[in-house]
Amino acid sequence: MEALNIVIILAIALIVTLYKGINIVPQGEEWIVERLGKFSRTLSPGLNIIVPYIEAIRQRITTRDIILDIPQQEVITRDNAVILTNAVTFIRVTNPRDALYGIEDFRLAIQQLVMTTLRSILGEMTLDEALSNREIIKTRLKDQIVDDVADWGVTVKSVEIQDIAPSQSMQASMERQAAAERERRAIETTAEGNKNAAILEADGKLEAAKREAQAQIALANASAEAIRVISDNIQDKELPAMFLLGDRYINSLEQISKSDNSKFVIYPADLQGAIKGMLGNVFKK
């Protein structure tokens, strides 16, 4: 009975030993082996055997590309504008030993390194430069972190800027500035239009005044010519002279009646006699 128990114990110990000693590493991973607490070797994908109880698996490290998200942060640009930016970094562990022993947490370290470097790069730019030079920012960011990250056994494959945008307060300020600029342009456009309209109106009035003056001169010349002709023939032809003077007289009364200050217009009872009287004055002269 005791012998059977010993056999069972030995069988269990053998199974545990084999379980601890035989390791199958999946593709895309490398395992770090320590012997009595000290780095021993790295296990590659496939079947691997270690010495149980003396050697142990310290860390399983992926050798596939790692997507590292960079949290959003506020950055102050050179012209004191506050912007929000975030990024994503694609990395790969090329030396598992350095990734494990070179730094405590390479993911956190790279994340902090990208954030501080990005903040430094954007701090040297103005707001317009930061918003329009995303490719330049990405290139500079990768160039500045690649050497530091290499010391940790990690290769930076790519850094992508996800977003660069003004903060909410900055956006509100920019919107107010844009609205003020649009209002200023509208006022300038309206003032320019009013000025042009006033110039055109003044030109129109000037041209109308010139034409009116020319018309008055032509009318006066015509009247003078008519009077001269009538004067030459007034001794023989009284009726045309009466007609001309009567027409002028009636037109004058009509203009008086249209005046805002005129309330009553009185026509002479003997219009023909009045005209004859005017002719008599002309004859006397």
Side-chain angles (χ1 to χ4, degrees):
M1 187 67 181
E2 292 181 357
L4 180 60
N5 290 335
I6 294 173
V7 171
I8 293 174
I9 292 173
L10 292 175
I12 293 174
L14 178 61
I15 292 173
V16 172
T17 300
L18 292 175
Y19 178 77
K20 288 181 173 291
I22 300 175
N23 293 274
I24 300 176
V25 180
Q27 187 68 37
E29 292 185 3
E30 291 186 10
W31 294 2
I32 303 297
V33 178
E34 290 182 346
R35 177 176 293 177
L36 300 177
K38 183 180 179 180
F39 173 78
S40 174
R41 63 187 184 277
T42 300
L43 302 183
S44 301
L47 179 63
N48 294 271
I49 297 176
I50 63 174
V51 180
Y53 310 112
I54 296 178
E55 296 180 336
I57 304 298
R58 166 66 187 276
Q59 186 74 34
R60 295 175 173 86
I61 296 179
T62 179
T63 56
R64 295 170 293 179
D65 288 349
I66 301 173
I67 303 173
L68 193 60
D69 185 52
I70 309 301
Q72 188 180 72
Q73 61 177 331
E74 287 189 352
V75 180
I76 300 177
T77 61
R78 189 177 65 192
D79 53 351
N80 296 323
V82 180
I83 59 176
L84 300 175
T85 180
N86 60 346
V88 60
T89 306
F90 299 90
I91 61 175
R92 173 177 286 187
V93 177
T94 54
N95 190 329
R97 177 180 178 178
D98 291 341
L100 178 62
Y101 298 106
I103 192 151
E104 183 176 356
D105 186 343
F106 70 89
R107 287 182 174 85
L108 179 61
I110 294 174
Q111 185 182 78
Q112 295 299 317
L113 180 62
V114 172
M115 290 179 66
T116 54
T117 306
L118 181 58
R119 189 160 54 242
S120 175
I121 292 173
L122 293 176
E124 299 174 355
M125 295 182 170
T126 63
L127 176 60
D128 293 337
E129 291 173 346
L131 295 177
S132 59
N133 295 299
R134 186 171 298 193
E135 289 297 324
I136 296 176
I137 296 171
K138 181 178 71 174
T139 302
R140 289 184 57 187
L141 180 58
K142 182 179 178 181
D143 292 342
Q144 291 187 26
I145 68 173
V146 65
D147 292 336
D148 294 332
V149 172
D151 294 337
W152 305 329
V154 179
T155 299
V156 178
K157 303 197 69 176
S158 178
V159 179
E160 299 295 333
I161 306 298
Q162 288 184 310
D163 191 23
I164 298 178
S167 63
Q168 292 183 354
S169 60
M170 192 65 193
Q171 288 181 2
S173 177
M174 292 173 65
E175 289 175 359
R176 290 194 299 269
Q177 182 178 359
E181 180 65 19
R182 289 194 297 269
E183 184 176 357
R184 182 185 66 81
R185 291 181 180 178
I187 292 174
E188 289 180 354
T189 302
T190 303
E192 185 68 19
N194 292 337
K195 183 184 75 172
N196 293 335
I199 292 174
L200 292 176
E201 184 179 0
D203 290 343
K205 290 182 177 179
L206 178 60
E207 184 64 24
K210 289 181 179 179
R211 292 182 180 272
E212 179 67 20
Q214 292 174 357
Q216 292 294 334
I217 292 172
L219 182 61
N221 291 335
S223 298
E225 181 65 19
I227 293 172
R228 185 186 64 78
V229 173
I230 292 172
S231 299
D232 293 340
N233 300 281
I234 194 134
Q235 294 177 355
D236 300 328
K237 298 180 180 179
E238 181 179 347
L239 184 60
M242 291 180 61
F243 174 79
L244 179 60
L245 293 176
D247 182 62
R248 295 290 188 273
Y249 184 69
I250 294 174
N251 287 336
S252 299
L253 293 177
E254 183 179 359
Q255 294 298 323
I256 293 173
S257 67
K258 293 180 179 179
S259 175
D260 294 335
N261 297 325
S262 300
K263 302 301 180 181
F264 298 98
V265 178
I266 302 174
Y267 288 91
D270 187 2
L271 183 59
Q272 185 175 1
I275 294 174
K276 286 182 177 181
M278 294 173 62
L279 286 175
N281 293 332
V282 172
F283 293 148
K284 291 178 181 180
K285 292 179 181 180

